Every structure is written in C-alpha cells, then in structure tokens.
C-alpha cells in the first residue's frame, strides 16, 4: 500500500516532466551517469555497458564464455610468449578513420605508459613489446605466459581507441562499435545513435537516450506513461507484477550471472579478523532475502564465477545462515556482548539507490540479531563509488557485472598485486598461496591444471571471506511493447539494443 501511495504521489511529477519527444528515439532508463566513457578508464557498470555499444575489443565472448573474433578476424599463438592478431579489413572509427594496428598498440600502451591513468593498466603487465609489421597485424611479445590476456583484450574489458587519444577522450569518445556517441550531460543523459558504417551489425534503432533516473519508483512511472521505453535490473522487484499487467509493457527475464557481493576493508582493526567476516556471513539469511526482498528473482552464490563456468566449484567451506555459530565466532574473536547486547559497531556505505538501501537495511537488522550494530551511510552513486575505489569504507555492497564471467576475476579482485588503483582489490586482501595459484593458472597451458588451481583458489576465498558472495540476480528487462526483438543477456548487458527494433 505504501508503494502504491508513493506511485500515486509521483504521478503528477512525472506528468509535469512529460514532453514531446522524438518517437524514433528509444529512452533507456538508468540509475546513474557513467563515470567515464573512455573505455580505458571507466570500470563502473554504466560505463562498461555503454562502452560495449561504442567500442570493440580484439575478440569477444559467446554465451559459453568462449572467445570469438571481433576486430581481429583471427589470431595465432605460435608459442606461449607470442600472440599475433590479424585485424579484419574495412573497419572504420565513427569519424571515418580506418582502424589500423597502430590504434591497437596505442590503446594498450596509453594505459601502460600513463598517458591515461587507468585501473586496467595492470591487466597488460605481461606484455613486453608490441609490433605492427603491417597495417593489419599486431604482434604481442610477452614477458611470461598470460592466459588472462585474451579476456583483457575482449569487448567490454577493452575498447580500441584511435591513435593519439589522450586524457580528454572521454568528452567525445570515438570507437568502432554499432552505436556512436552524440552527447552526454552528467547526471542527465547520454545519447548515442546508429553507426551506419558498423563492421559488425548496423542497428535498426536510430537513436538511444540513456536517461538518468536515480529513483526506481519514478522509473516505473516513466515506463507506465510511455515516457521511458526500457529499464534493466533497476526497478523495484515488487513492482514487476503490476508492470507486467500494463498493456503497453512487457517483462522479459533470464537467469543472470550478475553477482551481488559484500566487500570488507581488511585494513580495519575489526574486519581484518577472518572470524568477524565469517560471523557476518553466518548472520545473513540469504534465502530469506531472496524469497522476500528479491521476490525469488535470484539464486544463492558460492563463488564469483557463474555455476555454468568450466572453472566453477561450490566445494568450499560454507558459512550459511546460523546465528548461533555467528555468536560463537564473535566470542572466539574476543567480541562479547555488552550490557546493551552490542558486541561491535561497523559502518556500511551504500548508494542512494532504493534497492541498495533496502538490502542494507535488512542486513542491518540481521546483523543486529548477533550483536553487530551496523551504521548505514548512503551517498549519491558517484560519491559512493569513489569512496569504494579509494578504499574509504569498512563495508559496502556492489555487483560484479560481466567481469566475473572469466576466472581472471580472482586476480583482479583479490591478488596482492592488484590493490587499487592497479586493480579491484579494494579491501587489501593478501594471501601468498592464493597469489601463487593465480600466477600458476595464468601461465599454465594445461586446462586441467588451471582448473585445479582455480578450485583451490575458490576454496581459499570461501574460507577467508575477503568478500561474501550473496546471490546471482536474474536479468529482468521491462520494456515498452513498441520495442521488439529483446533478448536479455545473463550479464545484464545492453547489447540487445544492437538487434532490437521499433514496431511500426
């Protein structure tokens, strides 16, 4: 009832905002502005999802997480320390410039040399030298074998930019993707349009406006009124049944690989004790949260990798919901209850997104039951994400989107060499055995050996809990029926726009 009243209260507001708009423009509702549309820099979800429409990597990945050609029509590996990419001909950037091997080398070298300050730079540390024997050939000579390199050269992880693109490239990004950049107004919108010279697919849609609408209820109303056309994984789950009944709307859903996790700062005097992190895990009733708050649109997660991945394992120490065990772990850590029942105080940072705040509020309640007083601090997304990447937190929760579909996520998120800003080890977790396993897996050519390494790595992470894997969220696309040929991606990407159409 409260949500219905809120929806009614906002109806007039949305009505006032309604203006005449170009019917050929698809309005895509997003929660926040992309932090940086330079694909060498942006690592937040919106940046990566929009960049994947504007830019291409040398390779891409199919539904089975296998590599397939993209800007490179083929590639060879004559030995473990040499990769040769043969670029496809006839590819042009959005401004008409022909793609050459020099652009590929510049893109990688600009991150490695510091021309742009990139959190992705460490992903290319294995590269020793690069050569362009001709316009269509790129040769990478490696210092050591790196099985992660193809992942880091794939669409979504990298976007090839024109030679000489500098630090101001984000203001008007130019790629080779199926859409090209038109404009961006921070905290308002990003506009892209069909790239008529796309080498891969020329979209049927003329133009897409990514409208920033932070409030999820307002997003629902925009869709109901027809002033918004589509939203992905950003709507209140309890609004989905009502939206599905609207004659102008359709709800499409598929199992997702997008994973929600709870991150810890291991430099914190309390959280550096693994028993405290384990106790927190035992205090969280994930099944209840999935059943009630998420309305069953998620599955519990025991690893960062999707369960269908060849390297996945669920065979690790488990810290399932068990308040008695949580209290025992806290006792063992010397954190006994005070007169008021509180054992310790922690602070969790969240964005102002309604879904994030609701999850945090439930966690606050569940942790209180074992004596952990959880302070909640909500910030606008840009501020929140900046604090997370700087390590300015005790606890936070975010989602891995797409990046967790390859096992190099373990190195990126937990290797000692990948403390921010060199990677996403924001909590400063360090484990020498894990580092050795990941290094071995990165260099080994034996898939069976690599799987063995990854299984032990997942077992270590399941025991130490530098972060808690909560759930894989289903991908849910709500869209106006005038938008057809929608095929949701398990990763929640926006690539369905490449083949979507507007009904006449």
């Amino acid at each position: 009832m409260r949500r219905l009243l809120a929806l009614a209260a906002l109806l007039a507001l949305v009505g006032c905002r309604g203006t005449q708009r170009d019917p050929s423009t698809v309005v895509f509702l997003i929660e926040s502005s992309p932090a940086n549309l330079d694909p060498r820099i942006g690592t937040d979800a919106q940046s990566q999802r929009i960049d994947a429409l504007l830019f291409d990597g040398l390779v891409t990945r199919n539904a089975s997480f296998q590599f397939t050609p993209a800007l490179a029509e083929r590639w060879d590996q004559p030995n473990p320390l040499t990769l040769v990419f043969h670029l496809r001909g006839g590819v042009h950037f959005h401004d008409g410039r022909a793609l050459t091997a020099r652009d590929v080398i510049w893109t990688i070298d600009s991150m490695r040399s510091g021309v742009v300050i990139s959190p992705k730079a460490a992903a290319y540390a294995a590269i020793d030298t690069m050569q362009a024997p001709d316009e269509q050939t790129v040769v990478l000579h490696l210092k050591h074998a790196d099985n992660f390199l193809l992942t880091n050269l794939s669409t979504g992880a990298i976007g090839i930019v024109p030679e000489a693109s500098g630090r101001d490239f984000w203001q008007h990004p130019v790629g080779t993707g199926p859409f090209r950049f038109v404009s961006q107004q921070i905290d308002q919108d990003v506009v892209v349009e069909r790239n008529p010279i796309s080498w891969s697919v020329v979209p049927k849609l003329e133009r897409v406006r990514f409208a920033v609408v932070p409030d999820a209820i307002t997003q629902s109303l925009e869709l109901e009124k027809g002033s918004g056309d589509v939203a992905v994984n950003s709507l209140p789950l309890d609004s989905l049944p009502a939206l599905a009944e609207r004659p102008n709307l359709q709800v499409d859903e598929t199992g997702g690989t997008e994973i929600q996790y709870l991150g810890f700062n291991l430099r914190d005097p309390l959280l550096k004790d693994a028993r405290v992190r384990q106790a927190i895990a035992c205090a969280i009733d994930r099944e209840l949260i999935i059943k009630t708050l998420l309305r069953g649109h998620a599955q519990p997660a025991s690893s960062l990798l999707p369960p269908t991945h060849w390297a996945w394992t669920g065979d690790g120490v488990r810290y399932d919901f068990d308040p008695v065990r949580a209290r025992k772990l806290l006792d063992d850590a010397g954190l006994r209850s005070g007169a008021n029942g509180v054992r310790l105080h922690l602070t969790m940072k969240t964005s102002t997104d309604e879904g994030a705040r609701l999850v945090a509020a439930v966690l606050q309640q569940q942790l209180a039951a074992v004596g952990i007083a959880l302070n909640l601090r909500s910030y606008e997304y840009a501020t929140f994400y900046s604090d997370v990447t700087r390590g300015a937190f005790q606890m936070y929760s975010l989602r891995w989107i797409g990046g967790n579909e390859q096992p190099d996520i373990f190195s990126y998120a937990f290797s000692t060499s990948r403390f921010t800003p060199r990677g996403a080890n924001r909590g400063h977790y360090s484990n020498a055995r894990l580092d050795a396993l990941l290094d071995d897996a990165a260099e080994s050519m034996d898939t069976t050996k690599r799987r063995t390494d990854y299984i032990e790595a997942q077992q270590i992470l399941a025991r130490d809990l530098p972060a808690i894997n909560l759930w894989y969220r289903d991908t849910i696309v709500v869209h106006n029926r005038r938008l057809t040929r929608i095929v949701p991606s398990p990763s929640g990407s926006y690539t369905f726009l490449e083949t979507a159409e507007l009904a006449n």
Side-chain angles (χ1 to χ4, degrees):
M1 176 62 70
R2 182 166 54 187
R3 183 176 299 283
L4 291 175
L5 291 173
L7 286 169
L10 282 168
L11 188 57
L13 173 62
V14 175
C16 292
R17 290 176 54 184
T19 58
Q20 292 294 323
R21 63 180 178 93
D22 181 359
S24 66
T25 296
V26 171
V27 178
F28 197 130
L29 307 177
I30 59 177
E31 311 100 297
S32 58
S33 282
N36 196 309
L37 287 177
D38 185 332
R40 300 167 295 178
I41 299 173
T43 58
D44 61 293
Q46 298 301 343
S47 295
Q48 291 190 322
R49 285 170 165 169
I50 296 176
D51 276 345
L53 301 174
L54 303 177
F55 298 91
D56 298 299
L58 293 179
V59 298
T60 189
R61 290 172 290 179
N62 61 23
S64 301
F65 311 115
Q66 302 299 316
F67 295 109
T68 59
L71 292 180
E73 61 183 359
R74 61 186 175 88
W75 60 95
D76 310 310
Q77 190 163 12
N79 60 68
L81 298 182
T82 307
L83 269 170
V84 183
F85 293 93
H86 304 276
L87 304 183
R88 65 177 70 242
V91 177
H92 292 80
F93 287 102
H94 299 148
D95 59 5
R97 281 179 283 179
L99 171 79
T100 73
R102 293 190 306 275
D103 302 306
V104 176
I105 291 175
W106 172 265
T107 300
I108 298 171
D109 202 44
S110 63
M111 291 185 281
R112 290 164 18 109
S113 67
V115 169
V116 294
I117 306 304
S118 171
K120 302 180 181 182
Y124 310 100
I127 298 174
D128 187 12
T129 61
M130 296 180 284
Q131 297 174 327
D134 58 56
E135 295 282 272
Q136 302 302 119
T137 307
V138 178
V139 181
L140 304 183
H141 298 285
L142 310 184
K143 302 171 188 175
H144 54 79
D146 183 359
N147 288 312
F148 300 153
L149 194 54
L150 274 183
T151 298
N152 294 317
L153 294 172
S154 64
T155 301
I158 196 174
I160 301 304
V161 304
E163 184 180 14
S165 298
R167 295 190 179 187
D168 61 350
F169 181 71
W170 65 272
Q171 297 177 14
H172 197 93
V174 176
T176 58
F179 288 91
R180 59 189 183 189
F181 177 83
V182 175
S183 65
Q184 178 177 10
Q185 299 179 81
I186 303 299
D187 294 331
Q188 292 189 44
D189 63 17
V190 175
V191 179
V192 302
E193 64 184 7
R194 172 199 296 142
N195 173 20
I197 60 171
S198 172
W199 64 270
S200 56
V201 59
V202 176
K204 302 291 186 182
L205 303 178
E206 291 184 16
R207 182 171 284 215
V208 179
R209 175 176 174 258
F210 294 95
V212 179
V213 181
D215 183 77
I217 298 176
T218 304
Q219 282 197 25
S220 297
L221 289 169
E222 298 273 13
L223 289 167
E224 288 192 41
K225 287 177 59 63
S227 49
D229 289 308
V230 60
V232 177
N233 288 351
S234 60
L235 298 170
L237 294 175
D238 58 0
S239 71
L240 294 179
L243 293 174
E245 293 179 359
R246 300 288 294 186
N248 64 319
L249 297 178
Q250 180 170 326
V251 179
D252 294 322
E253 182 171 358
T254 190
T257 60
E258 184 179 299
I259 189 170
Q260 189 83 33
Y261 70 96
L262 186 63
F264 301 107
N265 189 335
L266 272 64
R267 293 175 296 180
D268 182 85
L270 292 169
L271 293 170
K272 69 180 181 181
D273 189 329
R275 293 170 296 187
V276 175
R277 305 192 299 273
Q278 294 160 0
I280 290 171
C282 291
I284 297 173
D285 190 344
R286 292 185 298 168
E287 295 283 359
L288 181 63
I289 294 174
I290 290 171
K291 181 179 178 180
T292 56
L293 197 59
L294 303 181
R295 302 297 177 103
H297 297 288
Q299 300 297 322
S302 58
S303 171
L304 276 179
L305 293 176
T308 54
H309 198 282
W310 60 267
W312 177 89
T313 183
D315 183 23
V317 179
R318 298 180 64 91
Y319 294 94
D320 295 325
F321 178 59
D322 187 342
V324 173
R325 187 182 183 189
R327 295 185 189 98
K328 174 67 165 53
L329 284 163
L330 293 173
D331 284 343
D332 293 344
L335 299 167
R336 299 187 178 276
S337 296
N340 58 358
V342 175
R343 298 168 179 266
L344 70 156
H345 292 264
L346 295 171
T347 297
M348 177 176 173
K349 290 187 175 181
T350 77
S351 72
T352 53
D353 172 73
E354 182 187 18
R357 289 189 290 109
L358 285 174
V359 168
V362 173
L363 294 179
Q364 181 185 51
Q365 186 178 48
Q366 292 184 347
L367 266 58
V370 300
I372 300 174
L374 189 63
N375 262 333
L376 302 181
R377 296 287 183 268
S378 296
Y379 303 89
E380 291 298 326
Y381 186 82
T383 301
F384 164 66
Y385 191 71
S386 174
D387 282 356
V388 168
T389 55
R390 291 188 301 109
F393 61 86
Q394 275 189 305
M395 294 170 54
Y396 71 93
S397 185
L398 271 176
R399 287 174 278 175
W400 283 112
I401 300 170
N404 62 308
E405 293 177 350
Q406 293 295 332
D408 57 324
I409 186 66
F410 298 122
S411 177
Y412 184 57
F414 299 116
S415 171
T416 304
S417 65
R418 304 304 293 274
F419 291 161
T420 52
R422 293 178 56 83
N425 190 345
R426 299 154 182 159
H428 283 244
Y429 172 72
S430 182
N431 182 299
R433 176 59 181 167
L434 181 78
D435 291 342
L437 288 166
L438 297 178
D439 287 344
D440 184 61
E443 298 185 10
S444 174
M445 302 297 288
D446 183 341
T447 301
T448 301
K449 179 66 170 66
R450 294 178 68 204
R451 173 169 165 75
T452 299
D453 288 339
Y454 288 133
I455 286 176
E456 185 178 346
Q458 289 169 86
Q459 291 169 338
I460 290 171
L461 293 170
R463 180 195 69 217
D464 289 357
L465 289 182
I468 298 174
N469 301 307
L470 295 172
W471 48 77
Y472 305 103
R473 182 169 174 175
D474 293 349
T475 294
I476 303 172
V477 181
V478 181
H479 62 93
N480 194 295
R481 290 185 181 274
R482 79 188 192 105
L483 192 61
T484 63
R485 296 189 64 191
I486 301 297
V487 181
S489 164
S491 67
S493 75
Y494 301 160
T495 53
F496 62 81
L497 294 172
E498 297 173 9
T499 54
E501 297 183 17
L502 283 176
N504 293 329

